[in-house]
Amino acid sequence: MSNIFPNPTMTVNTIFVVDDNPVNLKVLFTLLKESGFKVLVATDGEDALEKLKHITPDLILLDISMPKLDGFEVCTRFQENPNTQDIPVIFLTALNDLDNKLKGLALGAVDFISKPFQKQEVLSRICLHLKLSQLQKTLKHRNQRLQSEVAARETAEAELVELNQKLEQRVKKRTQALSQAIQKLESQTQKLHYQANHDLLTTLPNRAYFMEFLQEMLETKAETWAILWLDLDDFKKVNDSFGHIVGDQLLQKVAQRLQSSLGDRAIIARLGGDEFAILLPYNPAVDSLDDLAQNLLARLKEPFTIQHYILTVNASIGIISSIASYQKSACLLKDADCALHHTKAQNKGQYAILTPCLKAQFAERQQLETDLYWGIEREEFCLHYQPIFSLDTQQLIGFEALIRWQHPDKGLIPPNKFIPLAEETGMVQKIDLWAIQTACQQMRAWKNLFQLNSNLSVSVNYSSVKIQFLEELQNINWSEILQDLSPQNLKIEITERGYWEAGQAGTAVLEFLANCGIELCIDDFGTGFSSLSRLHEFPAQFIKIDRSFVQRLAPNSKGLAIAKTILNLTHDLNMKAIAEGIETQEQLEILQGLNCDCGQGYFLSKPLDVATVTQVLSTYFPANQKLNYA
Ligand code: C2E
Ligand code: MG
Ligand code: MG
């Protein structure tokens, strides 16, 4: 018989037939086999259970009434076993056995086939239940898949939730860290901003802040404001004498005193070093800048107690009475500097209010400074030589080299017009080194030309307002400068003030020069701040009596008494004296009477240019005559 119920899955289904009746078994076996099924059989319940340990049929045909284990018992066991519980069971039972049918269904059977078998019915029920079983399996499988998908989704969702929470925590932590960092940054920025705008020593606003503030004021055309530019006089000395800690404390106290004197209405800034700037409201109709400046200077003069020292300082103030006429803070500051500079140059501890005249003077000075710079670069200088004579033998013993500036527009400029500026700006060092070199060259030329007496010397003035200038003398290549000359042919003149201010370090330099054999002169003696007790410490061979004393020389005058004292002192210290500025016969005779060693002055000879000196020397020396003033 052909397979009239083709299997929808196209696989061969296995039918397990359990019946103790061999006839039934054979009939069913044959029918099912012919219908294309794979058929397995068992002849009783135990046989069935044993075989089901090894096979998994697609459907079981189970006879109810069997010896030992009946179909119900076998079915119950199937249901208990997870491997077999899903296999559809169709009971084989007698046609009218309703009770058994109900019991079988209650035990989990899917259907009944009544005996005797109707072949078509058997096959159609089998096929139906195979299909149902297949569908059930498919459904179960789908269900399982769905369940596992749902479970996976739930797991994924749970993971997602956890991840989300972790992320949120992370974000929270990061946000916290970030806000802390921002806070820190803000406080650092504030600190930096404060530091950028304040002077940390005095806590006053600094130059940057002041300049910015000033520029804003100028842009808003603040009409009635004045500027005071204040500089402490000789503050460096406080640092040098008492140390930087005391210096710093003094600056702090000065800042406090400025604040307490001027109150909140003034903006006070420390510009650096000992420089302060004050911007304050000023109404010309009501306020007096003179009173204000005088009060401020008086307040600053009051002593400061720092550690166990009691210190006093002076200040100088440059004032601009109205800032309204300025557009740029830089121009204003330049003018304030001009006023300050003016007052410092006049007298320390004073103030000056800027006037157009002051401004013009300052501009002139600035111009001179620029010209001087170029003058040095272009060597626009020359030396004039003033003869110095022995007052005893009346013979020429040497010259003082005196510098002149051959200005391209202004002609010959005397040293007092530019040396102070050169000293202030530090340019003097180059000028003086040039003068030493040029004077030595000139002496060499005259010595070679006229076979001059080797004792003839040239005295060169050397500025010692700063110790650094003096120290430069140690760096000079003296053997090159003095070639063909002996060291005695050169004298260095240093003012009395320079001597005292140079202190110990200066003495060391002067001793170095003395060891080189170069003689030293104390210039302008009597005008400086001599401490007579220290005079003997200096390795100088000559003292120059200042012109101011020589001019006051008259019989029985105070000038005479002073000159006598100086000369006695000089000779007691084994030094020689040179009197400067001898203008009259009387002065000359008095000095000779006092045993003054040497002299120079217009009465004997004015300073002469090189050509004139050469001419004078040539007049005397061919005949080998000694040059004297008689
Ligand atoms: P000093 O060293 O005291 O020089 C003497 C000054 O007195 C010279 O002025 C000289 O011309 C002047 N003099 C001489 N005899 C008489 C006189 O009988 N009557 C009057 N009224 N004056 C007399 P000078 O040349 O104008 O120099 C002025 C000052 O400039 C010098 O004073 C010196 O301190 C300084 N100086 C000159 N040359 C140099 C230099 O090369 N370097 C430095 N650093 N300073 C110099
Ligand atoms: Mg001199
Ligand atoms: Mg002099």
Side-chain angles (χ1 to χ4, degrees):
M1 195 174 156
S2 64
N3 183 1
I4 50 171
F5 300 104
N7 188 318
T9 59
M10 301 304 284
T11 53
V12 177
N13 290 307
T14 304
I15 311 294
F16 188 35
V17 186
V18 185
D19 201 329
D20 62 331
N21 185 332
V23 179
N24 283 348
L25 266 185
K26 192 176 178 191
V27 171
L28 287 171
F29 182 86
T30 310
L31 171 67
L32 295 174
K33 206 60 178 164
E34 284 175 356
S35 300
F37 294 106
K38 189 176 170 189
V39 186
L40 297 168
V41 296
T43 52
D44 58 37
E46 281 178 348
D47 186 23
L49 290 173
E50 185 56 37
K51 282 185 175 155
L52 277 175
K53 286 180 187 165
H54 311 289
I55 58 165
T56 310
D58 297 302
L59 189 140
I60 300 171
L61 292 177
L62 180 60
D63 185 25
I64 292 176
S65 55
M66 287 186 293
K68 294 184 218 165
L69 288 175
D70 64 9
F72 298 132
E73 185 59 33
V74 175
C75 186
T76 307
R77 301 264 185 100
F78 289 171
Q79 295 297 326
E80 286 166 1
N81 184 349
N83 291 331
T84 51
Q85 66 184 179
D86 291 335
I87 303 171
V89 175
I90 300 175
F91 276 122
L92 305 170
T93 183
L95 191 58
N96 298 319
D97 197 354
L98 187 62
D99 285 348
N100 277 343
K101 284 181 182 172
L102 289 175
K103 190 178 173 188
L105 287 172
L107 284 173
V110 295
D111 209 347
F112 295 90
I113 296 174
S114 301
K115 295 178 192 174
F117 305 124
Q118 294 298 317
K119 287 182 182 175
Q120 283 305 319
E121 185 195 346
V122 170
L123 288 176
S124 63
R125 282 182 192 250
I126 284 174
C127 284
L128 173 69
H129 287 291
L130 279 173
K131 257 186 197 169
L132 280 175
S133 166
Q134 184 60 41
L135 279 173
Q136 215 168 1
K137 272 187 199 161
T138 310
L139 272 176
K140 193 177 173 187
H141 184 70
R142 275 195 196 157
N143 211 19
Q144 278 174 345
R145 219 174 57 201
L146 272 175
Q147 273 177 351
S148 68
E149 272 179 20
V150 167
R153 209 166 278 180
E154 278 173 357
T155 314
E157 265 176 21
E159 280 174 359
L160 208 67
V161 167
E162 197 185 317
L163 205 70
N164 238 353
Q165 281 173 347
K166 274 186 186 166
L167 260 176
E168 270 174 22
Q169 272 182 346
R170 236 191 203 181
V171 169
K172 210 170 159 184
K173 268 190 189 167
R174 285 261 165 95
T175 313
Q176 270 178 356
L178 207 68
S179 79
Q180 278 172 355
I182 288 173
Q183 270 180 4
K184 206 169 157 191
L185 206 70
E186 269 174 7
S187 85
Q188 273 176 351
T189 311
Q190 279 174 357
K191 204 169 150 192
L192 276 177
H193 188 256
Y194 181 85
Q195 285 176 352
N197 289 303
H198 287 82
D199 163 46
L200 299 184
L201 181 67
T202 59
T203 71
L204 291 178
N206 63 9
R207 178 182 283 269
Y209 175 90
F210 188 79
M211 295 297 281
E212 203 175 308
F213 186 83
L214 192 61
Q215 190 58 47
E216 274 174 29
M217 294 272 293
L218 298 184
E219 278 159 21
T220 54
K221 292 276 166 239
E223 290 297 330
T224 51
W225 286 76
I227 273 203
L228 278 68
W229 211 247
L230 187 146
D231 187 279
L232 302 181
D233 297 332
D234 299 324
F235 177 73
K236 189 178 171 298
K237 282 189 188 157
V238 176
N239 270 342
D240 292 347
S241 316
F242 301 97
H244 282 270
I245 295 175
V246 172
D248 283 355
Q249 287 176 358
L250 180 62
L251 288 171
Q252 286 169 335
K253 295 225 167 182
V254 166
Q256 286 160 10
R257 198 169 283 177
L258 288 175
Q259 277 174 320
S260 71
S261 307
L262 296 165
D264 292 341
R265 66 202 182 108
I267 312 262
I268 307 169
R270 179 174 170 231
L271 305 175
D274 55 356
E275 256 189 6
F276 296 84
I278 300 158
L279 189 63
L280 80 172
Y282 160 65
N283 179 355
V286 184
D287 305 318
S288 155
L289 281 176
D290 292 280
D291 288 351
L292 190 118
Q294 280 161 10
N295 288 341
L296 203 57
L297 289 174
R299 282 281 284 122
L300 287 174
K301 266 187 191 140
E302 290 168 22
F304 292 93
T305 307
I306 290 166
Q307 295 175 11
H308 51 278
Y309 303 111
I310 295 180
L311 302 179
T312 49
V313 279
N314 268 327
S316 301
I317 309 178
I319 302 173
I320 294 187
S321 56
S322 166
I323 67 168
S325 53
Y326 292 87
Q327 282 178 342
K328 290 243 152 49
S329 54
C331 299
L332 200 157
L333 295 195
K334 203 172 148 218
D335 281 2
D337 203 33
C338 153
L340 178 66
H341 192 273
H342 174 79
T343 174
K344 282 224 173 229
Q346 300 301 305
N347 229 335
K348 291 183 176 173
Q350 300 292 321
Y351 68 94
I353 301 174
L354 186 82
T355 59
C357 175
L358 271 191
K359 225 173 139 172
Q361 277 177 20
F362 190 67
E364 199 181 317
R365 183 190 174 278
Q366 301 277 82
Q367 185 57 51
L368 194 69
E369 194 177 322
T370 312
D371 288 356
L372 189 57
Y373 172 83
W374 288 112
I376 293 169
E377 290 294 303
R378 298 176 189 138
E379 296 196 1
E380 292 171 352
F381 302 96
C382 67
L383 292 176
H384 283 192
Y385 295 87
Q386 184 172 36
I388 303 174
F389 294 93
S390 156
L391 295 190
D392 178 26
T393 64
Q394 303 178 4
Q395 280 175 5
L396 178 75
I397 61 148
F399 302 94
E400 177 173 7
L402 295 159
I403 199 160
R404 273 88 182 104
W405 178 11
Q406 293 165 307
H407 192 284
D409 308 321
K410 297 177 183 153
L412 215 58
I413 301 181
N416 57 350
K417 286 270 178 3
F418 66 91
I419 289 290
L421 178 68
E423 286 180 338
E424 214 178 289
T425 53
M427 292 192 261
V428 75
Q429 196 172 307
K430 273 193 175 177
I431 294 177
D432 283 353
L433 294 178
W434 176 89
I436 290 176
Q437 199 166 14
T438 309
C440 288
Q441 261 170 17
Q442 190 56 61
M443 279 303 282
R444 198 163 29 249
W446 284 329
K447 192 175 173 183
N448 291 340
L449 201 58
F450 304 113
Q451 270 90 55
L452 288 181
N453 177 349
S454 64
N455 291 333
L456 210 62
S457 67
V458 64
S459 306
V460 182
N461 293 282
Y462 194 85
S463 174
S464 57
V465 285
K466 284 195 184 134
I467 180 67
Q468 292 90 322
F469 297 163
L470 261 189
E471 282 170 343
E472 190 56 29
L473 287 172
Q474 284 173 306
N475 303 328
I476 291 178
N477 183 346
W478 287 111
S479 55
E480 190 185 313
I481 286 202
L482 290 171
Q483 56 174 304
D484 295 341
L485 296 175
S486 73
Q488 288 82 0
N489 291 133
L490 177 67
K491 288 187 179 61
I492 301 271
E493 292 192 10
I494 294 172
T495 60
E496 185 192 11
R497 187 175 177 173
Y499 264 106
W500 304 124
E501 287 184 348
Q504 294 296 319
T507 310
V509 178
L510 300 182
E511 267 163 7
F512 166 85
L513 290 178
N515 287 338
C516 292
I518 297 165
E519 291 184 319
L520 298 168
C521 274
I522 304 179
D523 206 352
D524 303 345
F525 189 80
T527 60
F529 303 86
S530 319
S531 159
L532 293 180
S533 62
R534 285 186 59 205
L535 189 59
H536 67 280
E537 288 173 21
F538 289 100
Q541 290 76 23
F542 291 88
I543 274 179
K544 282 197 142 183
I545 303 173
D546 191 65
R547 197 175 72 216
S548 55
F549 298 112
V550 173
Q551 283 174 353
R552 277 182 268 150
L553 283 178
N556 302 322
S557 66
K558 281 188 183 164
L560 181 65
I562 295 173
K564 241 186 213 170
T565 312
I566 295 176
L567 280 162
N568 284 340
L569 182 71
T570 310
H571 291 146
D572 285 351
L573 291 172
N574 271 335
M575 292 196 264
K576 286 185 174 171
I578 303 172
E580 285 187 309
I582 304 171
E583 289 186 351
T584 64
Q585 177 78 35
E586 187 185 27
Q587 289 163 358
L588 177 65
E589 282 168 7
I590 292 174
L591 286 164
Q592 280 172 323
L594 292 174
N595 281 335
C596 179
D597 305 276
C598 312
Q600 65 187 94
Y602 291 173
F603 181 70
L604 307 177
S605 169
K606 283 201 165 183
L608 308 169
D609 62 21
V610 171
T612 313
V613 177
T614 309
Q615 201 183 355
V616 172
L617 289 175
S618 65
T619 316
Y620 284 88
F621 284 95
N624 207 15
Q625 267 182 287
K626 298 258 160 116
L627 181 59
N628 58 29
Y629 60 79

